[in-house]
Amino acid sequence: MKAYYSLFKMTLIKGLQYRISALAGVSTQFFFGFMFIMVYQAFYLSNPATQPISLRELILIVWLQQAFLVFIMLWFRDSEIINLITTGNIAYELCRPTDIYNFWFAKLIAQRLSRAILRCFPILLIAALLPFPYKFTLPDHLTTIILFFLTLILGLIIIVSISMLIYISMFYTMSPTGSLLMFSVLGEFFAGLTIPIPLMPDFLRNLTYMLPFRYAADLPFRIYAGNIKHDEAIISIGIQLFWILLLLTVGKLWLKKALNRIVIQGG
Amino acid sequence: MIEVTHLSKNFKVIKKVKGLRSSLRTFVNPQFSNIKALDDVSFKINEGEIVGYIGPNGAGKSTTIKIMSGILVPDSGSCQIMGVTPWKNRIEHVKNIGVVFGQRTQLWWDVPVIDSFYLLKDIYKITNRDFKHNLDLLTTTLDLSQILTTPVRQLSLGQRMRCEIGASLLHNPKILFLDEPTIGLDAVSKLAVRNFIKTINKEKKVTVILTTHDMNDIEALSNRIILVGKGKILMDGSLTELKNKFSTEKIITIDYTESNEVINITGSKILTRTKERISLSIDLNKIKVSEVINLISQKFEIKDISVENRPIDEIIIDLYKEYQV
């Protein structure tokens, strides 16, 4: 266990070194945040019918999505693991008394966490200073915040378990491009990052509720914004746990199978 | 300690042909060929041995190392290392071994070497006392003190290799697999690495299995060599045995005061000849070195003599030729 924690710590510290990258990330995310808000505002102004989610809630969601972008994006990839697989350096990884799945898992979580820590505070802080409709505010109840953090962390675990599947698929394809593209386009859509889930037609919304993606990128933020009530949130946590269990089991079994057939060429 | 019996491994490779048209044909109807990387390989290695595992490119050296370190699953055959089958009980097995693949790196690329070492300490659950002791030993014998705090990406190949070897020994492995450990090293680093391997073998009774193309490594380190070619074991024996078998020639170089006297000694062949120096290769089956010197001293006033064995590299080339690998 200590090994996984040490790797976690090392990756975290390493990730915290990249200040310039964080700064660039913060400004990009601000730009995107404003763009999304403008689009939604235009939509709400031109469409007087009541929507299942208010503009105010949507604005909160946009800021949170931007602040925790690295928690929810599937395209975010770890080139070190990709290199391990494609160059055959995984040979060394296999020579260590560790479970490779857990080892990579710890690393991927730490990576996303370190990036999020550097990015979320400046974004949320500045967003909190904006004038009213755009302003980022705290929710009314402490329970909301607790539920938000709980679902956010579980969501991070879901995203990393899905991305593990992308890496494992590389044992067969040797290239991250295909699965990464498939997963990130579909995943992003079904996570409600293209169209907010409350604004989707019924059949699509039902579909997203049956897939794991929204439990990472949609659920925590809508809980925070107050669009999802506490009792629904608690049920959703159960569903999150179910997905985590399923994804971890599938990932571990698949990796085991993949490792049995690998051939490390050269050298 | 290590027992390998009837190990076989085949690789299926798509036959690629030159040219666009044949490439298209391969695309539609790929032709596979089976490559026998290992073909019924058996050997036994005892504790404390240093074994040189040699053979030409593509002989199956690395494949054997990979199977023994639990990375690769063979098609058939068995391999018991300290009572464990590597690919079945991978995690238990790798606690006992250290591996260096000369062409790969096990250190984390953008953190200082010492951080990688500390991470390995936790991975292998090394106690503080052992860790400190090993780190001190490695730092002094491999001369690492200057480079421990440098990120790995800034190290030169030789510096990195010394750190790699250090990293693979932190956890007191009983067996050390070295796959081309001296590749790309300068003379000083090579010597340091060799001395180090000798030291740990003597002091800690570490069993070492070493593949290399540098025959000086073998000469300096191993008392036993296993020669493989085309996936088969061709020879298994001591270095002296090998030398005696194949080295039936010696080379004599003689300096003398200027002379144009004709030399013709049966059993010897003139390699080079100038007015003041001659180089002869002597077939020991036909004539003794002392006889040759005697004959020459009768005609010339000898100033200096040197007698050399044939370089081991040449012996190996002969060996490869004889077994047609």
Side-chain angles (χ1 to χ4, degrees):
Chain A
M1 204 55 216
K2 192 157 178 228
Y4 306 114
Y5 173 69
S6 297
L7 180 72
F8 177 82
K9 209 173 63 186
M10 192 170 94
T11 315
L12 200 65
I13 293 168
K14 204 171 87 185
L16 291 175
Q17 293 172 359
Y18 298 109
R19 276 171 306 181
I20 302 291
S21 144
L23 206 64
V26 168
S27 32
T28 316
Q29 262 115 60
F30 249 100
F31 173 76
F32 272 97
F34 268 115
M35 208 175 69
F36 283 128
I37 290 173
M38 298 299 170
V39 172
Y40 293 139
Q41 199 172 26
F43 170 76
Y44 274 84
L45 281 177
S46 64
N47 197 337
T50 345
Q51 301 295 339
I53 183 166
S54 73
L55 178 62
R56 186 62 201 131
E57 288 169 340
L58 214 49
I59 287 171
L60 284 179
I61 292 177
V62 168
W63 286 132
L64 285 168
Q65 278 176 347
Q66 295 305 318
F68 293 101
L69 195 76
V70 288
F71 271 23
I72 56 180
M73 279 304 178
L74 278 168
W75 49 253
F76 179 75
R77 56 174 157 181
D78 177 48
S79 47
E80 223 172 76
I81 294 184
I82 294 172
N83 282 337
L84 278 183
I85 298 173
T86 48
T87 62
N89 258 344
I90 190 176
Y92 270 127
E93 212 84 339
L94 286 164
C95 290
R96 302 220 168 93
T98 46
D99 183 277
I100 293 200
Y101 191 94
N102 297 347
F103 207 59
W104 287 359
F105 201 87
K107 185 178 169 194
L108 291 173
I109 294 257
Q111 232 168 27
R112 287 185 187 251
L113 206 59
S114 66
R115 302 214 176 186
I117 289 170
L118 283 180
R119 284 165 179 75
C120 76
F121 294 112
I123 292 179
L124 294 181
L125 219 71
I126 301 171
L129 298 174
L130 294 174
F132 175 64
Y134 311 112
K135 194 175 161 68
F136 179 78
T137 49
L138 288 173
D140 297 333
H141 296 284
L142 184 66
T143 330
T144 314
I145 296 187
I146 294 169
L147 284 172
F148 164 70
F149 273 113
L150 200 61
T151 46
L152 187 70
I153 294 301
L154 290 174
L156 173 65
I157 296 175
I158 291 180
I159 280 290
V160 171
S161 335
I162 297 174
S163 66
M164 278 299 290
L165 298 180
I166 302 178
Y167 294 117
I168 299 167
S169 78
M170 282 184 54
F171 282 108
Y172 299 86
T173 61
M174 292 316 282
S175 149
T177 327
S179 21
L180 210 62
L181 204 68
M182 288 280 295
F183 269 101
S184 47
V185 170
L186 289 178
E188 235 170 87
F189 184 80
F190 288 113
L193 293 169
T194 319
I195 307 168
I197 289 176
L199 298 179
M200 282 181 180
D202 281 344
F203 79 97
L204 257 184
R205 190 163 59 224
N206 291 337
L207 190 61
T208 58
Y209 274 62
M210 285 188 275
L211 295 168
F213 306 106
R214 78 161 278 265
Y215 290 94
D218 170 71
L219 178 73
F221 306 141
R222 271 166 70 198
I223 290 175
Y224 186 97
N227 187 255
I228 288 177
K229 300 286 168 265
H230 290 174
D231 42 353
E232 193 193 331
I234 287 164
I235 298 171
S236 305
I237 288 176
I239 303 176
Q240 279 187 318
L241 291 172
F242 162 76
W243 275 114
I244 290 172
L245 203 68
L246 185 74
L247 288 166
L248 286 182
T249 318
V250 170
K252 285 198 167 192
L253 287 176
W254 194 20
L255 181 64
K256 205 172 162 191
K257 215 175 150 208
L259 288 179
N260 264 327
R261 63 175 286 285
I262 58 163
V263 171
I264 289 152
Q265 291 164 331
Chain B
M1 182 141 232
I2 299 177
E3 201 171 347
V4 172
T5 34
H6 307 300
L7 214 56
S8 293
K9 175 83 188 172
N10 288 315
F11 291 120
K12 208 170 162 191
V13 181
I14 296 184
K15 271 190 203 158
K16 291 263 165 74
V17 210
K18 205 184 95 199
L20 181 62
R21 195 182 296 168
S22 18
S23 288
L24 286 172
R25 201 184 308 136
T26 315
F27 185 78
V28 180
N29 178 22
Q31 301 285 318
F32 291 98
S33 59
N34 245 327
I35 292 181
K36 281 188 177 172
L38 287 183
D39 186 5
D40 198 20
V41 166
S42 307
F43 55 84
K44 225 171 156 177
I45 293 169
N46 296 322
E47 192 179 351
E49 276 193 278
I50 301 184
V51 178
Y53 200 66
I54 58 169
N57 294 326
K61 301 186 297 289
S62 294
T63 307
T64 319
I65 296 269
K66 282 173 196 159
I67 289 176
M68 288 197 289
S69 46
I71 297 167
L72 214 58
V73 183
D75 295 339
S76 63
S78 83
C79 172
Q80 290 283 314
I81 295 179
M82 302 176 74
V84 180
T85 304
W87 59 91
K88 282 184 185 144
N89 305 326
R90 185 180 67 82
I91 291 185
E92 199 189 324
H93 167 65
V94 294
K95 281 179 196 162
N96 296 323
I97 63 165
V99 187
V100 175
F101 297 109
Q103 306 182 21
R104 310 186 184 283
T105 176
Q106 62 176 320
L107 304 161
W108 282 266
W109 196 242
D110 36 23
V111 298
V113 181
I114 188 76
D115 285 9
S116 283
F117 281 11
Y118 271 103
L119 182 56
L120 288 170
K121 170 181 183 281
D122 290 335
I123 288 176
Y124 285 102
K125 303 190 180 79
I126 308 167
T127 61
N128 285 326
R129 222 186 90 236
D130 280 356
F131 182 73
K132 202 184 162 296
H133 175 255
N134 285 345
L135 188 63
D136 286 347
L137 180 79
L138 293 167
T139 312
T140 42
T141 41
L142 285 170
D143 191 20
L144 299 180
S145 51
Q146 300 288 318
I147 49 183
L148 275 181
T149 48
T150 320
V152 176
R153 57 162 187 265
Q154 290 171 11
L155 296 179
S156 75
L157 181 60
Q159 292 172 325
R160 206 198 76 208
M161 193 58 76
R162 279 183 278 147
C163 295
E164 301 274 353
I165 293 176
S168 63
L169 284 161
L170 281 169
H171 58 289
N172 278 334
K174 300 274 185 314
I175 303 171
L176 183 62
F177 294 110
L178 300 169
D179 196 355
E180 303 189 30
T182 53
I183 198 166
L185 296 189
D186 66 15
V188 179
S189 305
K190 259 186 196 175
L191 281 182
V193 166
R194 278 180 206 149
N195 283 335
F196 181 72
I197 295 172
K198 261 192 233 165
T199 314
I200 55 152
N201 172 257
K202 217 177 253 166
E203 286 178 8
K204 297 192 169 185
K205 292 271 171 290
V206 178
T207 310
V208 182
I209 290 123
L210 162 96
T211 80
T212 183
H213 289 291
D214 186 341
M215 287 310 145
N216 296 322
D217 287 349
I218 301 279
E219 233 177 334
L221 290 172
S222 54
N223 17 47
R224 175 177 167 198
I225 56 168
I226 296 177
L227 173 76
V228 283
K230 291 185 184 154
K232 285 193 166 105
I233 290 189
L234 304 175
M235 215 204 86
D236 183 348
S238 74
L239 193 63
T240 356
E241 259 173 67
L242 175 79
K243 271 190 184 163
N244 290 343
K245 193 169 167 197
F246 287 93
S247 169
T248 51
E249 270 173 43
K250 281 198 196 274
I251 293 167
I252 298 187
T253 309
I254 296 170
D255 289 329
Y256 43 78
T257 41
E258 212 173 309
S259 160
N260 284 320
E261 198 86 37
V262 181
I263 300 175
N264 196 359
I265 304 168
T266 42
S268 76
K269 209 171 73 193
I270 296 172
L271 299 174
T272 55
R273 161 110 203 235
T274 63
K275 273 183 193 161
E276 293 174 313
R277 165 180 277 201
I278 189 165
S279 238
L280 292 162
S281 108
I282 297 167
D283 189 341
L284 296 176
N285 291 330
K286 292 181 182 153
I287 191 162
K288 282 186 194 155
V289 176
S290 54
E291 287 169 343
V292 175
I293 295 173
N294 201 6
L295 285 170
I296 292 177
S297 64
Q298 287 165 13
K299 293 184 183 174
F300 299 92
E301 192 182 324
I302 296 177
K303 279 157 78 182
D304 192 13
I305 299 181
S306 72
V307 183
E308 286 163 53
N309 281 319
R310 275 183 67 211
I312 185 159
D313 276 315
E314 282 179 25
I315 301 176
I316 295 295
I317 291 170
D318 275 3
L319 207 59
Y320 288 173
K321 265 190 209 150
E322 186 179 303
Y323 289 110
Q324 294 178 335
V325 292

